[in-house]
Amino acid sequence: MLTSAVVAGPGHTSSPLDRQKHQIASHRTHPTGRRYHHHIPPSAWTALITTARTPLLRGEPLYRDVAQYSGIRWELLAACDWMQCKARSGYSPVQGEKLGSVNPDGTIYHTRSEALEQCAEDLVDLAHSVYGIDVTAGGDLSVRDLACVFAAFRWGGLLKLHHTSAMEFPYSVAGLTAEHINMRWPKIDDPNTPDKPGGRFRMPFGAVPLVLSLNYPATV
């Protein structure tokens, strides 16, 4: 996951007062729009149902318990957990590392709850700082905003800096439609890129289709 000077990234901490100030300062709202009806191809949908959906629904009580402190929807947190470490016991979704391991930035997470809480804070802070999206506001996010949230979580501000839409970012939208199959990481020439630019994205689906499979009521 990106931690660079481009934008504050995962691993930083914020106090409850900081988060309260952030919520008060943000005036962005998400008006209710038309419900998005997914067009996830059968191959991606089958992969979602057979691999990710069941374990994430099983972990829903934990996701809900952690998410409530940051004011985000549990489905977003569950998607991060799968995309980062496939929701494996003993692993942290912050950088996909084993619990108890020291990350390059010096952070250590000893429990999944602790790591998930950090992910929730990062989702809130990065989505707001990069795209101006307040994931704690009332209302349901659009598919595009969901794509932006996960793009910021993974690559910080790189896509915006290089004028690349989050709808081209496979971590966010792989498997969303037939046009989002066999995607590649954006070919961006930047030393801070955490994944292999131009390389094939190996997962059959991204975070947005995963959120949709958990019955999140995304809007158009």
Side-chain angles (χ1 to χ4, degrees):
M1 190 185 312
L2 180 69
T3 53
S4 73
V6 175
V7 65
H12 69 278
T13 59
S14 59
S15 69
L17 180 59
D18 291 333
R19 294 195 293 276
Q20 184 180 39
K21 289 179 179 178
H22 160 75
Q23 292 178 20
I24 293 174
S26 177
H27 297 292
R28 182 185 176 97
T29 59
H30 300 286
T32 301
R34 292 184 295 114
R35 177 74 177 270
Y36 177 83
H37 296 286
H38 77 76
H39 303 281
I40 300 173
S43 59
W45 185 254
T46 298
L48 280 165
I49 299 304
T50 59
T51 61
R53 192 170 187 271
T54 297
L56 294 184
L57 288 175
R58 191 181 302 126
E60 180 179 347
L62 175 60
Y63 299 133
R64 283 187 180 276
D65 189 43
V66 174
Q68 68 175 334
Y69 294 104
S70 297
I72 69 171
R73 291 285 294 260
W74 73 270
E75 297 94 334
L76 276 65
L77 192 55
C80 282
D81 195 20
W82 183 267
M83 296 300 296
Q84 294 293 111
C85 66
K86 294 190 176 180
R88 289 180 293 175
S89 175
Y91 282 79
S92 158
V94 175
Q95 296 191 31
E97 78 282 11
K98 285 187 176 181
L99 291 175
S101 299
V102 181
N103 289 319
D105 60 1
T107 56
I108 306 175
Y109 300 95
H110 297 284
T111 67
R112 285 185 40 81
S113 297
E114 182 184 21
L116 286 166
E117 183 176 347
Q118 184 62 57
C119 284
E121 293 177 1
D122 292 335
L123 279 167
V124 172
D125 294 342
L126 288 166
H128 183 265
S129 62
V130 177
Y131 292 105
I133 298 172
D134 183 359
V135 297
T136 67
D140 304 312
L141 295 175
S142 68
V143 167
R144 178 186 176 278
D145 279 356
L146 285 170
C148 289
V149 169
F150 290 110
F153 180 79
R154 183 71 177 193
W155 272 26
L158 283 173
L159 293 184
K160 189 173 183 180
L161 181 65
H162 291 273
H163 309 288
T164 302
S165 170
M167 297 303 292
E168 290 190 285
F169 192 57
Y171 183 90
S172 294
V173 298
L176 182 63
T177 69
E179 286 71 37
H180 295 90
I181 298 294
N182 297 324
M183 295 184 72
R184 293 180 176 274
W185 292 102
K187 196 171 184 179
I188 290 176
D189 184 15
D190 192 298
N192 293 309
T193 306
D195 299 291
K196 186 177 180 181
R200 187 174 297 281
F201 184 71
R202 300 297 179 182
M203 296 182 69
F205 51 82
V208 176
L210 184 47
V211 167
L212 296 177
S213 77
L214 298 174
N215 300 321
Y216 178 89
T219 60
V220 175

